[in-house]
Amino acid sequence: METILGIDLGTTNSAVSMIRDGKAVVLEEDGQKILPSVVGLDGSGKLLVGFPASNQWTLAPDRTIRSVKRKMGSGETVRLGDQTYTPQEISAIILRTLKERAERLLGQEARKAVITVPAFFNEQQREATREAGELAGLEVVRIINEPTAASLTYNPNPEQLQRLLIYDLGGGTFDVSIVQTEQGVVEVLSSHGDTQLGGDDFDHLLMDFVCDKFREEHKLDLRAALTSRSRVLKAVEQAKCRLSFDAFTTLQEEFIAEQGGVPLHLNMELSRMDYEPLIEPLLNKTLVRVDEALSDAKLTAKQIDRVILVGGASRTPMVHRLLQEQLGQPIHSEVDPDLCVSMGAAIQGGLIAGVDLGPVLVDITPHTLGIQCLSERHGFPSHYHFAPIIERNTALPASRSEVFGTCFDDQEKVLINVFQGEHSDVRQNEAVGGIELEGLANAKRGHEILVRFDLDLDGILTVTATEKMTGLEKKLTIDNVMSRFRSEDREQAKQRLEAVFSGSDAAAAAERQPPTPEPDEDLSPEIKGPIDKARELLAQAERLLDDANQQDAEEMQELIDQLREAVNARAVDDIQDVSAKLDDLVFYLQDAL
Ligand code: AMP
C-alpha cells in the first residue's frame, strides 16, 4: 500500500509522520523529531534548514527566515541574502527537507502527503500551502485543519459522537477549537485564537526579568548588545522548558559581558514561582478565547468530552492548572503535544489509503502521584492535603519536581509520604511509600525542600528529597507503582462484580465502610479543634430534634448523619462544610422554637 506522509507545517516547528504497523510514527533523524521551520544561508551562501538555520537567527537575521507561515497567501515576499522569495518557496524548502528525511528512512520515494493548516486559514492561505507542497515535489492529497488532525490522534476511528476542545499553544500562535466527531466525520464547530501569542512571548518576559535583575546588580543591560541578548534569550528559553518539569533551575552563562575589562558571568537561579506571575496575564487571555470558542459552538464546558493540549508551550504546568480550573475536567496531553498534529495528519493519510488503524498507544500514568502536606483550606489547616507532583495521564517516562516548605522554625526533619490517587485528602488515596529527610539545618519555617519524582516506563518511581540550602538529599525507589495499583483496582472490580452476580452488596458495603478513626489523643490540635466543636454542635442539634417539625427534623437528621461520618473519617474540610450548614439550621430552629 502506498505511503501517505502526514506533515505538520508549523510556524515554529514542523514534523513528518507515517503509518507503520497500523500506528502513526513520527520520523526521527539524528535524534530529532521536530524540524524548526527556519531557512537560512550561512556566511558562504550555503542553504541551512532547521536547527542550523535556527541557531544563526539571532546573529544573522538578514540571512535567516523564521515564521514564514504567517505570510502564506498574503502576496508578500521575503528576502534571503540578495534574493527575493515567495512564502510558498520557503515553505517548499521545509517540506522538501521533511520529504527527503522520509525517503532516507523509507529507502524509497515518498510522493504523497496530507498537510495541516490552522483552522482559521482562508482559501488563499490553504491554496498557498498546497502550492508549497507541489513545489516540494509532493502530491498534496488533502489539506486538513490542525485541530482535526489532533483529534484524530486521540480518536482515530471517529464513529461515536464526541466533542473535543483542542488548546494549541505554540511558539508564536495560540488557537482553541471545538471539534465534533460523529460517524467518521470530523467537524470544526468553532475556532478562536491569537496569532501574536505564544511561547516566544514567554521567553521575552523571562529575558526582561533576568536582564532587569542582572542590571540591578551590575549596572549593565544585557539586552544592549546583540551577542549577549541572543545568549540570554536562548538560555531563558531552555530554562523556561526546564521549569515545566522542575520547580527551580539555574541560568549559567560564562563571560556573558565585560565591564571595565572585567568579565561578567550570568549565574542566576530561577523558580517557577518567579516565572508564573510573568505569564499569567497572557494565559488569562487564552482562557477568554476558550470561553469564546465554547460560546460560538453553543456548548458549555460540561458538554466537552475531552480537552486536548497541542503545541510545545502547552507543556507549561500553569496551562494545565488554569484550564483544569476553568473547565472542571482532566486535561489530556498523553500524545506529545509537539507531534500530535503530524501524527493526526498521518492517520488521515492512512484513512485515505484504507489502512486499518489501531488506537494510539502511549504509556501513561493511570493515577496522580504526590505527597502528603499541611495546607490551609477554607481557612483551616489540614494535615492530610494531597499535593500532586506527577499528574494522571502524563506520558512516560516522566520527571517532575515541586518545592515545599517546613512547618516550624528549626525543624529537624521532614516526612515525605507518597500517595497515588485523585482525592485532595490523602486518606482517600493509596499510600505507596515514604522517606524521612533528617538533619536539616537550623532555619525559619518555610525552609525549602525540593521533592522530585522520576517515574520510568516500568513503573519504578524514584523519589528524591533535597534540602535546597545545603544539598542534603535522600532517595527512595518504589517498584511497580502502577501495576500494584492496577492489580488492586482489578481486585476491587472483581469484588464488585462478584457482589453483583451473587446478589449481595457485601463488597460494595465493605468498600463504603469508613476507616477506623484514630483515637482522639493521637490527633493534632488542628484536627482535634474542629472535631470537638462538631461534637458540641451535634449534641445541640440532637437536643432540638424532638421539637422540630417533620421537614426540619428530616433535614437536620441528614446533616447530623453527614457530620458524624465526616468526624469519623477525620475529614476536616467536610467537617467545616457540614458544620456551617448545621450551625445555620440550629441557629434558625433555636430562634423559631
Ligand atoms: P511549537 O510551535 O508547537 O513547536 O512550540 C514551540 C514553543 O513551545 C516554543 O516557545 C518552545 O520554547 C515551547 N516549548 C517547548 N517545550 C516546552 C516545555 N517543555 N515547556 C514550555 N514550553 C515549551
Side-chain angles (χ1 to χ4, degrees), residues 262-273:
V262 179
L264 295 178
H265 312 296
L266 172 64
N267 198 334
M268 196 182 286
E269 187 182 81
L270 289 175
S271 77
R272 205 183 282 160
M273 273 192 280

Side-chain angles (χ1 to χ4, degrees), residues 12-13 170-171 199-200 203 237 240-241 244-245 311-313 315-316 338:
T12 318
N13 293 309
D200 299 350
D203 302 343
E237 199 252 343
K240 170 193 79 172
C241 295
S244 290
F245 308 104
R315 288 203 187 88
T316 313
D338 275 325

Side-chain angles (χ1 to χ4, degrees), residues 446-486:
H447 181 53
E448 287 168 326
I449 309 291
L450 266 174
V451 180
R452 183 183 177 85
F453 279 14
D454 294 285
L455 183 61
D456 73 9
L457 279 167
D458 299 321
I460 298 171
L461 176 70
T462 307
V463 179
T464 314
T466 314
E467 180 182 40
K468 191 159 166 282
M469 193 168 84
T470 62
L472 175 74
E473 185 184 284
K474 190 135 179 209
K475 272 186 198 283
L476 165 77
T477 301
I478 306 170
D479 270 350
N480 278 324
V481 195
M482 295 184 307
S483 57
R484 184 142 57 107
F485 200 98
R486 280 172 185 153

Side-chain angles (χ1 to χ4, degrees), residues 64-79:
T64 318
I65 298 177
R66 296 200 321 168
S67 305
V68 76
K69 183 170 167 179
R70 292 188 198 282
K71 297 198 164 72
M72 290 291 271
S74 67
E76 270 182 71
T77 53
V78 288
R79 253 193 113 66

Side-chain angles (χ1 to χ4, degrees), residues 136-189:
L138 286 164
E139 180 190 332
V140 183
V141 292
R142 198 163 301 174
I143 296 276
I144 65 167
N145 290 320
E146 288 160 8
T148 303
S151 80
L152 283 173
T153 315
Y154 280 85
N155 182 17
N157 299 305
E159 285 306 319
Q160 300 159 299
L161 173 65
Q162 267 215 349
R163 293 180 184 120
L164 304 103
L165 186 147
I166 320 279
Y167 179 103
D168 181 352
L169 189 59
T173 56
F174 165 68
D175 296 295
V176 52
S177 307
I178 312 289
V179 172
Q180 178 166 294
T181 68
E182 196 174 17
Q183 294 179 351
V185 178
V186 186
E187 187 189 355
V188 179
L189 297 182

